[in-house]
Amino acid sequence: MPDSHIAVGKSMQRIDAIDKVTGSARYATDIKLENMLHGGLLRSPHAHARVKNIDTSAAENLPGVRAVATILEVPKVIEYWFSLRTEKKKKQMFLRDNVVRFIGDPVLAIEADDQQTADKALSLVKVAYELRPALCDPFEAMAENKVKIHSRGNVAFKVHKEYGDTHQGFKTADIIIENTYRTSKQKHATLEPFGTCIAHYRSNGKLTVYSSTQLPHWSRHYLAGALDLPLNRVRVIKPHTGGAFGGRCGLIHGLEVMCSWLSRQTGRPVRMSFTREEDLIATESRHPMTIRMRTGATRDGVIIANDVEIVSDVGGYGTHYIGVIADCLSTGVGLYKIPNYSFSATAVFTNKSLCGAFRGYGNPQMNFAQESQMDIMAAKLGLDPLALRLKNYRQLGEMDPVLNEEICSNGLAECLEKGAESSGWKKKRRKKSGVGTVKRGIGLSVMLHGTGAGKALPDPAGATVMINADGSVNLVTAAADEGQGNRTVLAQIASETLGIEFEKISVSETDTETTPLDCGTHGSRQAYAGGLAVRAAATEAREQLFAYAKKEPGLNADQLRIKDGVIFDPAKPDHSILISDLMRKVQIEDMSVCEQVIGSAAGVAPAMPGYYGAIFAEVEVDTETGEVSVLKLTSAFDVGRAINPDLVKGQITGGGVMGIGFALTEGLLVEDGRIMNSSYTDYRLLRACDVPEIVPIIVESHEPTGPFGAKGIGEGCMVNVASAISNAIFHATGVRLTDLRMTPEAILQGLKG
């Protein structure tokens, strides 16, 4: 059957492709404003201390220094947009005190005529500190009563949820296993470092900020609150961005607020840009977690009880710690139909660099524990790990107990089937291979991840569609594109809904001054939540087109259609009109009308549909050195509907690479609060020669609430990579690793028994 779609399901060229490949795309570091000053931060050398005194006299007397701002006057943003819901919670978002809570915590900022002067001035500042005991271990911090990292104590958040009767479930279990898993402090490691901002507070009292934020509208709220400005006096413009992965979900610690504060003091634009070292030591990372998991099953492989206890290391400040724990809960409980499930979690402040949002948002940590448990259970029961998962996963039509929603799309079984066939699972699982001391193995893991946060957070999306006199279209959206191509996808949805060629759709810049409210890019939400808003706005515009078209001779039918920019009556195909002809008449020729077709929509998505994936990892382990080589990843993911298949495959491939790093090489190493690998020389990212063959497989289950059946993909494709690799290492060597990173030393230790 021929495909009747004009844009959906097509691998359209990205709308920003030409700008990026020609180098004309402007990133934050490319922006230069007239009369611009340059700023820098003085950072704490101590993990925990009270600032007793700051002497800036020598710095302020240096020629070219224009202003100084300290933490005594400038608030930190320490919560996320969940706290915007009430005035009481909003006040909790901002902290102004004289305490530094990790090595690298900003103490003050200086602006000067040039960067060299700013750097020189920072070196002249004298700060007197009163040292406090540093608590760098979350278990130590929980047990400590006298030393408080924050006034409310060291426990940031605690939760317990019970589904069914776990005690009774374990009593009836035939096999019970219990293990403790630990995960690393992974860094986002984007091509463009976190931490470039230009702020300009003009004489008219209006602040304009150029920031590579994932959440332009929420960042506007944060800045307005921190500087006590009305929202209409704060404008956030987002330039092109070189990657984010969650690390730009709001404001960067010590950056935009300090920059704006300095600009307000002088009335001149201020630019501040972090070095790569500052990015690694002083911006957000993934939450390291310790997860104790106890699992019970019957002899025939039905998982009947699971008990989970999580301790999450928040770092010196917590922004997304509640959401991250909530995601551990929803993805863990939601994936398998375990009737008795106990979940407890504690988020703990420590004197280490802060943790926040990171691709997967707690799910990679939880998945590593749960999917390792499933493999261990399969081995205990003598079952194929694939069969055990098929027996226990929560299927189409069942209820998700956390979200209290019916599962309306679920392609996990197809992901497992296609992934197993493509990877040769049965044959490779049955017959191990390898030469001499080099052993080969294959492992699998599955995952569930939610789309958006409509049931858990304020998660609005908005769009406006304007049809011009020549039939071209302007799509206005604040959807932030960090490199994944979501704005191209939104243009495809507008094109398909309107029946107007994709090439005629133009997408606005990301600017809070001109775009409707949008929650930004997080939670794999834009194709779904943003797509729903675009489809609704385009539908409204299409209905207006039809209303005008019905006034034309021969087009007064009830059921008009649009294709390739032509409005026609399907019953009388020869009766038609070009949209460009109709719009020219409506907007210009008929002076009694002179109207533009504008469709607008805003709101929250109706659901948080889960998307699913199965990864088959093939590894080679040298039992003499402990070195692991990932040979191949076969990654099958259910995306509902692939609006742009090439972009989906790109996400799956990139997620695979990031997941391998999480499994084997990545993690910030902290000693006494100090990050020891603060450059890419020591922070071990995968090199090109380390990247294996990655086979992306798209499964389409059609999500009924999504635009053209689409749901998410961006985060989930890295979630279960580490667990698949861990299971493959066990298959190859018999060594079960429970800590990330999985190092050669750990493998050799495991081989020794």
Side-chain angles (χ1 to χ4, degrees):
M1 180 183 291
D3 189 350
S4 60
H5 290 95
I6 66 170
V8 164
K10 315 289 186 184
S11 293
M12 300 295 193
Q13 178 178 292
R14 292 174 53 131
I15 59 176
D16 57 359
I18 300 300
D19 286 343
K20 286 186 173 179
V21 299
T22 60
S24 60
R26 295 181 76 208
Y27 293 78
T29 52
D30 297 319
I31 296 170
K32 294 177 176 59
L33 303 182
E34 186 178 355
N35 209 26
M36 187 166 68
L37 299 171
H38 298 263
L41 294 176
L42 181 68
R43 300 184 178 277
S44 168
H46 306 294
H48 196 194
R50 184 175 69 87
V51 176
K52 293 174 61 179
N53 182 61
I54 303 174
D55 182 357
T56 61
S57 56
E60 292 185 81
N61 289 329
L62 188 69
V65 170
R66 301 301 173 185
V68 176
T70 75
I71 58 170
L72 306 179
E73 54 193 325
V74 182
K76 304 180 182 82
V77 179
I78 61 166
E79 293 285 347
Y80 67 137
W81 64 96
F82 186 76
S83 298
L84 291 171
R85 297 172 305 145
T86 67
E87 283 301 315
K88 180 180 178 181
K89 286 191 173 292
K90 185 178 175 182
K91 290 178 182 177
Q92 297 172 1
M93 294 187 67
F94 307 106
L95 174 66
R96 184 188 290 110
D97 65 12
N98 65 343
V99 178
V100 288
R101 295 175 173 86
F102 67 91
I103 294 174
D105 202 357
V107 176
L108 60 81
I110 286 178
E111 65 174 349
D113 290 343
D114 54 66
Q115 194 63 56
Q116 292 79 11
T117 303
D119 293 341
K120 174 66 175 176
L122 289 169
S123 71
L124 299 175
V125 175
K126 296 179 181 178
V127 182
Y129 295 96
E130 178 187 283
L131 298 186
R132 294 182 173 182
L135 302 174
C136 296
D137 178 86
F139 292 93
E140 179 189 357
M142 277 195 296
E144 177 60 58
N145 293 319
K146 294 181 180 179
V147 180
K148 293 184 178 182
I149 297 173
H150 286 272
S151 59
R152 69 176 191 258
N154 299 332
V155 173
F157 176 70
K158 199 167 187 175
V159 66
H160 175 77
K161 294 286 186 179
E162 189 86 33
Y163 301 88
D165 187 337
T166 313
H167 177 73
Q168 184 61 31
F170 281 113
K171 282 182 67 175
T172 58
D174 297 311
I175 295 179
I176 298 173
I177 60 173
E178 182 173 343
N179 294 285
T180 299
Y181 302 88
R182 297 171 184 84
T183 65
S184 67
K185 189 176 172 65
Q186 187 186 20
K187 195 67 186 76
H188 304 79
T190 54
L191 284 172
E192 177 192 5
F194 292 167
T196 295
C197 168
I198 297 94
H200 190 188
Y201 192 89
R202 291 178 169 83
S203 57
N204 61 4
K206 190 162 187 175
L207 173 68
T208 299
V209 173
Y210 299 85
S211 169
S212 299
T213 174
Q214 294 175 238
L215 316 173
H217 278 280
W218 288 155
S219 293
R220 177 184 180 222
H221 275 270
Y222 301 158
L223 286 165
L227 279 77
D228 195 25
L229 293 171
L231 284 168
N232 69 343
R233 291 193 176 273
V234 180
R235 178 185 186 184
V236 176
I237 300 173
K238 175 187 165 55
H240 285 280
T241 304
F245 309 121
R248 305 183 199 266
C249 267
L251 303 180
I252 301 296
H253 190 69
L255 179 66
E256 290 96 340
V257 176
M258 277 289 194
C259 239
S260 301
W261 199 277
L262 289 170
S263 181
R264 183 159 65 175
Q265 289 183 262
T266 60
R268 292 170 62 180
V270 177
R271 178 187 187 273
M272 196 182 296
S273 188
F274 292 177
T275 64
R276 181 67 73 181
E277 182 182 16
E278 286 181 292
D279 176 7
L280 285 167
I281 71 169
T283 66
E284 295 181 352
S285 67
R286 190 181 297 285
H287 293 78
M289 291 186 186
T290 300
I291 304 173
R292 186 200 62 80
M293 190 172 290
R294 184 170 178 247
T295 307
T298 63
R299 287 189 183 89
D300 58 351
V302 176
I303 311 297
I304 57 173
N306 210 33
D307 180 37
V308 178
E309 291 181 2
I310 298 175
V311 173
S312 177
D313 187 339
V314 170
Y317 302 89
T319 50
H320 290 258
Y321 55 91
I322 296 176
V324 165
I325 291 296
D327 205 49
C328 291
L329 170 68
S330 63
T331 58
V333 176
L335 180 54
Y336 294 112
K337 49 186 176 186
I338 304 172
N340 307 293
Y341 208 119
S342 176
F343 179 94
S344 299
T346 306
V348 186
F349 291 118
T350 61
N351 291 120
K352 291 187 287 193
S353 63
L354 65 170
C355 301
F358 195 155
R359 190 181 200 172
Y361 210 65
N363 197 357
Q365 299 97 305
M366 182 68 178
N367 185 274
F368 174 62
Q370 188 154 287
E371 286 300 284
S372 296
Q373 286 284 97
M374 290 296 286
D375 249 47
I376 295 168
M377 184 63 77
K380 291 277 187 183
L381 294 168
L383 293 176
D384 183 332
L386 190 153
L388 182 65
R389 288 165 171 85
L390 283 174
K391 176 170 277 195
N392 288 281
Y393 83 99
R394 208 179 294 279
Q395 300 181 33
L396 186 69
E398 296 184 27
M399 291 294 293
D400 183 307
V402 179
L403 301 178
N404 197 29
E405 285 184 353
E406 181 183 345
I407 299 169
C408 296
S409 61
N410 186 337
L412 183 55
E414 188 177 345
C415 290
L416 282 165
E417 176 189 352
K418 289 185 173 179
E421 181 181 0
S422 176
S423 66
W425 166 262
K426 288 184 180 179
K427 180 180 178 181
K428 292 173 182 175
R429 190 73 184 182
R430 188 168 53 245
K431 185 179 179 181
K432 296 183 184 180
S433 61
V435 178
T437 60
V438 177
K439 308 297 182 184
R440 286 193 175 189
I442 185 170
L444 73 84
S445 64
V446 300
M447 75 97 220
L448 155 72
H449 199 75
T451 302
K455 296 284 184 178
L457 292 169
D459 199 47
T464 297
V465 168
M466 299 185 291
I467 303 179
N468 301 311
D470 61 355
S472 64
V473 177
N474 288 93
L475 169 60
V476 182
T477 171
D481 193 331
E482 270 60 60
Q484 63 273 76
N486 55 37
R487 291 162 68 79
T488 301
V489 167
L490 297 182
Q492 288 179 250
I493 291 171
S495 168
E496 191 68 47
T497 305
L498 290 167
I500 295 175
E501 302 93 321
F502 174 75
E503 295 75 16
K504 292 185 177 180
I505 312 293
S506 172
V507 185
S508 68
E509 299 298 318
T510 308
D511 182 343
T512 60
E513 187 86 343
T514 56
T515 58
L517 178 64
D518 185 275
C519 191
T521 297
H522 69 93
S524 310
R525 72 182 290 273
Q526 277 300 351
Y528 177 73
L532 287 172
V534 169
R535 187 181 67 176
T539 298
E540 182 180 304
R542 186 185 64 200
E543 294 307 308
Q544 292 178 44
L545 284 174
F546 288 157
Y548 286 120
K550 286 178 181 179
K551 298 175 183 178
E552 298 298 310
L555 286 175
N556 57 352
D558 291 333
Q559 299 295 325
L560 295 179
R561 297 284 186 272
I562 309 177
K563 187 171 183 181
D564 296 332
V566 178
I567 302 175
F568 63 95
D569 180 353
K572 302 175 182 177
D574 55 327
H575 289 191
S576 64
I577 187 171
L578 289 170
I579 291 176
S580 56
D581 290 342
L582 178 64
M583 285 298 91
R584 186 173 61 254
K585 180 177 181 180
V586 168
Q587 292 185 27
I588 301 172
E589 292 177 0
D590 188 343
M591 290 185 290
S592 67
V593 182
C594 290
E595 293 182 7
Q596 184 173 22
V597 168
I598 301 175
S600 294
V604 176
M608 290 175 60
Y611 61 99
Y612 301 82
I615 290 179
F616 296 77
E618 299 175 51
V619 303
E620 199 171 68
V621 184
D622 188 327
T623 56
E624 285 191 335
T625 65
E627 184 178 359
V628 178
S629 299
V630 180
L631 304 177
K632 183 179 180 181
L633 287 184
T634 303
S635 304
F637 283 87
D638 157 31
V639 300
R641 178 67 190 275
I643 302 295
N644 188 311
D646 276 359
L647 293 181
V648 171
K649 290 176 181 177
Q651 287 294 298
I652 294 173
T653 302
V657 175
M658 179 177 279
I660 296 170
F662 183 50
L664 300 178
T665 67
E666 290 189 51
L668 292 168
L669 305 177
V670 186
E671 292 184 10
D672 298 325
R674 186 175 303 280
I675 292 172
M676 307 305 293
N677 52 341
S678 58
S679 73
Y680 284 168
T681 302
D682 300 313
Y683 185 88
R684 179 71 162 80
L685 293 170
L686 263 63
R687 300 161 297 182
C689 60
D690 300 319
V691 177
E693 177 187 4
I694 298 177
V695 179
I697 299 172
I698 296 174
V699 171
E700 296 186 313
S701 62
H702 188 85
E703 168 55 43
T705 67
F708 302 100
K711 49 185 178 179
I713 181 59
E715 291 184 276
C717 47
M718 75 80 53
V719 161
N720 56 325
V721 177
S723 47
I725 292 172
S726 176
N727 294 337
I729 291 171
F730 178 78
H731 181 239
T733 65
V735 174
R736 172 59 62 183
L737 299 177
T738 55
D739 288 9
L740 297 179
R741 304 169 291 136
M742 295 181 285
T743 63
E745 293 83 359
I747 291 173
L748 291 176
Q749 188 65 37
L751 287 167
K752 291 177 183 177

